[in-house]
Amino acid sequence: MNVSSPLPGNAWEINVPEATTLAAADLSVRAGTLMAVRGVTAEFRRSRLTAIIGPNGAGKSTLLRALVGLDAPATGAVTLNGRPLNAWSRRERASRLAYLAQGEALPLGARVRDVVALGRGAGQWRWGLLPPLALEESEMQAVEESMRRVGVLEFAQRRVEDLSGGERQRVSLARALAADPQFLLLDEPTNHLDLAYALGLMDTLRQETRSGLGVVAVLHDLNLAARADCVLLLHRGRVVAQGSAESVLTPEHLQAVYGVRVAVLRHGAQLVVVPEGRS
Ligand SMILES: Nc1ncnc2c1ncn2[C@@H]1O[C@H](COP(=O)(O)OP(=O)(O)OP(=O)(O)O)[C@@H](O)[C@H]1O
């Protein structure tokens, strides 16, 4: 197994300015009494879609939360553009890093447009209620643009509880993008999405990377992870492999980590992971 800390291959050799990275350096993070993330060194670049994969309990969510500053490092550091996260003010961080938690709730009774406007800092969502919002024209344009990019403009006046799970997921995404962050971190964004929504979401994320967004997504579906530019495989809190999908999604890595025999095939330009049985 390729236990890597130096970054292998060319997958991380990306043509973006040095100063636009989110990085973990020998990062360990506690979850309760457990050290859920152990000595992780990884770099996430803008204009890239990185998938974090690994079995249940591998530490993926804990790593993601540490990358946005919600969980503090026990040792090591997270840096944004070369500065430790805790050297940025909360406001500075929030304008650069957007985070979509697993199964994020939306304020009931609110209309889609108002929820997305939260991403522009319009008003506060407290105790499940969203007070009326007032945004300047230019801000409203940014909100509309964000809704258009993820395909929720047509729902703008609907109430969030009247939307399907997949539609709500896109509203959350529009809200995160409305903040115009440098990095967007998503925890299992394709959970509960049907095939079309899941692929649509991946396409939207990829599209956003083309305008410079760095996307880091925790994914369970290895065939969706295979569409990422870079993949980071975690097991028991440690990085087992990181690099291009092709270098990480190998039968050896996957069997060692998931305890499942898999075949990795190529279908056109796409890698396909086929489980064969438990080993
Ligand atoms: N508050 C907590 N107290 C104690 N242990 C915790 C706490 N939160 C997480 N853990 C443990 O830390 C480990 C990593 O959890 P984490 O949620 O980061 O894993 P994950 O890879 O995201 O898992 P999953 O794929 O199941 O969502 C797990 O063993 C989990 O039980």
Side-chain angles (χ1 to χ4, degrees):
M1 188 188 305
N2 168 24
V3 179
S4 58
S5 305
L7 304 173
N10 292 325
W12 255 263
E13 302 295 322
I14 296 151
N15 268 340
V16 289
E18 174 69 22
T20 52
T21 56
L22 179 63
D26 201 16
L27 175 72
S28 296
V29 187
R30 267 196 197 88
T33 53
L34 181 85
M35 198 63 87
V37 170
R38 298 160 182 256
V40 167
T41 294
E43 197 167 76
F44 306 93
R45 299 268 177 114
R46 294 188 66 185
S47 306
R48 290 277 143 173
L49 171 53
T50 303
I52 299 179
I53 60 169
N56 290 130
K60 304 178 296 296
S61 298
T62 308
L63 173 60
L64 208 66
R65 289 174 55 82
L67 289 172
V68 289
L70 291 172
D71 287 348
T75 58
V78 176
T79 56
L80 172 63
N81 300 344
R83 268 171 76 197
L85 269 196
N86 59 11
W88 297 86
S89 71
R90 188 180 288 239
R91 180 186 281 263
E92 284 173 327
R93 245 170 25 206
S95 68
R96 289 164 176 81
L97 301 177
Y99 169 66
L100 272 191
Q102 241 179 87
E104 188 172 82
L106 291 172
L108 291 182
R111 292 188 192 279
V112 167
R113 182 190 305 271
D114 293 339
V115 173
V116 177
L118 283 170
R120 299 299 298 179
Q124 293 281 327
W125 166 27
R126 296 256 163 92
W127 304 295
L129 296 174
L130 190 60
L133 304 173
L135 275 186
E136 289 176 11
E137 183 57 31
S138 62
E139 293 289 292
M140 228 36 243
Q141 277 173 14
V143 170
E144 300 227 341
E145 171 61 16
S146 169
M147 288 193 292
R148 190 191 56 72
R149 269 151 54 198
V150 301
V152 297
L153 197 51
E154 64 193 278
F155 316 138
Q157 293 303 333
R158 284 175 65 186
R159 294 189 190 279
V160 289
E161 62 266 40
D162 297 336
L163 302 178
S164 75
E167 290 162 348
R168 282 185 211 182
Q169 176 69 296
R170 274 153 57 188
V171 172
S172 292
L173 182 61
R175 174 167 70 89
L177 292 176
D180 197 18
Q182 295 179 343
F183 287 92
L184 172 61
L185 294 92
L186 312 99
D187 201 346
E188 298 188 27
T190 56
N191 251 8
H192 310 302
L193 296 189
D194 71 25
L195 188 60
Y197 268 127
L199 286 177
L201 183 81
M202 293 297 285
D203 285 348
T204 302
L205 294 177
R206 176 164 294 286
Q207 189 64 38
E208 293 299 321
T209 63
R210 295 202 183 104
S211 32
L213 185 70
V215 176
V216 184
V218 169
L219 296 172
H220 270 296
D221 185 330
L222 300 180
N223 286 312
L224 292 180
R227 295 170 172 266
D229 300 303
C230 307
V231 178
L232 184 149
L233 174 59
L234 272 186
H235 187 39
R236 298 188 179 135
R238 296 188 190 279
V239 176
V240 171
Q242 56 183 318
S244 65
E246 195 159 3
S247 70
V248 174
L249 297 173
T250 64
E252 295 74 26
H253 287 151
L254 299 178
Q255 180 162 359
V257 166
Y258 290 93
V260 172
R261 281 178 289 107
V262 303
V264 180
L265 314 173
R266 211 163 242 302
H267 179 70
Q270 187 60 42
L271 278 189
V272 182
V273 178
V274 182
E276 292 182 327
R278 292 168 68 93
S279 51

